[in-house]
């Protein structure tokens, strides 16, 4: 019932901007609307992007995000426009993209997006900021279904793909040796000092410093942390095993 009401609101909005009746014949597209996969920790917030690739240009898009409410929670104001629809509003406006978000049904996010002319470009449509439950231990999937996609003249699209993502619950932030929730040059120095025996790391620090996928802290671990800190690499070998 709540999903129906959400979709009805989208229909009302479509009428407001004078979109024409659906024309005969669907248009085929290879567009992909997907939920990102991010890393997070219990009790903290994570921002999960919903993106579009191979965008054919659309004037209307409705989709549903489904998540495990025992692990994640979210509210309407935590679902915000991304780069593809920068400047979109949730008020009546015939010149900008308009969107509605409904998170009132636990475990569901209903989103409707419309504009009087085609929205083009690939990238992030929305960012959903979830709160991870305290005590959460297991990774959790976030799925997406596209309810409807149409162009600016209200011709429906078919053939698009909806892709799931999720939240990977990390017990450790690799590279964060000093425990300040970010990876910096100071962390590389600590790993190097440990590798040559100048300091002794505790268990949590040792796990964070061991980034090369082989047991023990070495100069290689320190180098990888340094490369990550300065942006030369985007992930550690241990995260890709």
């Amino acid at each position: 019932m709540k999903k129906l009401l959400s979709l009805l609101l989208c229909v009302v909005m479509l009428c407001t901007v004078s979109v024409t009746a659906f024309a005969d014949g669907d248009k085929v597209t290879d567009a992909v609307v997907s939920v990102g996969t991010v890393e997070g920790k219990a009790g903290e917030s994570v921002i999960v992007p919903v993106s579009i690739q191979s965008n054919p240009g659309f004037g209307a898009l409705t989709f549903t995000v489904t998540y495990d409410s025992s692990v994640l929670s979210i509210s309407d104001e935590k679902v915000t426009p991304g780069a593809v629809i920068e400047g979109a509003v949730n008020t009546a406006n015939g010149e900008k993209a308009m969107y509605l978000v409904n998170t009132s049904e636990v475990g569901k996010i209903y989103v409707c997006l419309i504009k009087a002319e085609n929205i083009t470009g690939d990238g992030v449509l929305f960012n959903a900021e979830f709160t991870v439950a305290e005590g959460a231990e297991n990774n959790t999937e976030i799925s997406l279904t596209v309810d409807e996609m149409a162009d600016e003249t209200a011709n429906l699209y078919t053939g698009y793909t909806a892709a799931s993502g999720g939240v990977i619950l990390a017990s450790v932030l690799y590279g964060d040796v000093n425990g300040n929730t970010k990876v910096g040059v100071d962390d590389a120095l600590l790993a190097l000092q440990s590798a040559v025996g100048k300091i002794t790391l505790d268990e949590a620090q040792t796990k964070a410093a061991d980034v090369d996928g082989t047991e023990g802290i070495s100069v290689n671990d320190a180098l990888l942390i340094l490369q990550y800190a300065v942006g030369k690499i985007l992930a550690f070998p241990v995260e890709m095993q």
Side-chain angles (χ1 to χ4, degrees):
M1 184 62 180
K2 290 175 180 174
K3 181 176 181 179
L4 177 60
L5 289 174
S6 180
L7 293 177
L8 285 174
L9 284 172
C10 291
V11 172
V12 171
M13 289 177 68
L14 283 167
C15 293
T16 302
V17 293
S18 301
V19 177
T20 59
F22 285 107
D24 292 333
D26 295 339
K27 301 175 69 174
V28 179
T29 177
D30 59 356
V32 179
V33 183
S34 61
V35 178
T37 298
V38 300
E39 194 171 273
K41 292 184 178 181
E44 297 182 356
S45 62
V46 292
I47 297 177
V48 179
V50 176
S51 303
I52 188 167
Q53 299 295 323
S54 300
N55 182 4
F58 65 89
L61 175 64
T62 62
F63 61 86
T64 303
V65 174
T66 303
Y67 62 93
D68 185 345
S69 60
S70 68
V71 180
L72 303 172
S73 60
I74 197 167
S75 55
D76 289 5
E77 66 273 11
K78 296 297 184 179
V79 182
T80 55
V84 172
I85 56 169
E86 185 178 2
V89 296
N90 56 8
T91 56
N93 191 310
E95 297 180 353
K96 296 184 177 182
M98 295 190 293
Y99 71 96
L100 287 177
V101 175
N102 183 357
T103 62
S104 60
E105 182 177 348
V106 176
K108 301 280 188 182
I109 305 173
Y110 300 114
V111 180
C112 173
L113 174 65
I114 60 172
K115 192 177 182 182
E117 59 186 25
N118 276 339
I119 296 170
T120 59
D122 293 349
V124 177
L125 292 167
F126 288 92
N127 288 298
E129 184 177 350
F130 290 94
T131 298
V132 183
E134 295 283 355
E137 297 180 349
N138 298 320
N139 300 338
T140 186
E141 183 182 33
I142 304 172
S143 61
L144 181 144
T145 57
V146 175
D147 302 306
E148 193 168 85
M149 181 188 294
D151 69 10
E152 62 187 350
T153 59
N155 286 299
L156 289 170
Y157 284 112
T158 62
Y160 46 74
T161 300
S164 299
V167 177
I168 299 172
L169 292 181
S171 57
V172 60
L173 176 59
Y174 286 106
D176 178 24
V177 184
N178 62 14
N180 68 348
T181 70
K182 59 184 180 181
V183 179
V185 175
D186 289 347
D187 297 300
L189 177 60
L190 289 173
L192 181 62
Q193 290 173 330
S194 173
V196 299
K198 284 188 66 72
I199 61 172
T200 300
L201 302 179
D202 63 27
E203 183 178 352
Q205 290 175 315
T206 298
K207 189 172 183 179
D210 188 9
V211 298
D212 66 357
T214 61
E215 187 174 354
I217 309 304
S218 67
V219 173
N220 190 48
D221 291 301
L223 175 59
L224 287 168
I225 294 171
L226 177 61
Q227 290 177 330
Y228 187 99
V230 299
K232 292 198 69 173
I233 63 173
L234 299 178
F236 296 115
V238 70
E239 297 174 305
M240 297 181 283
Q241 292 180 339

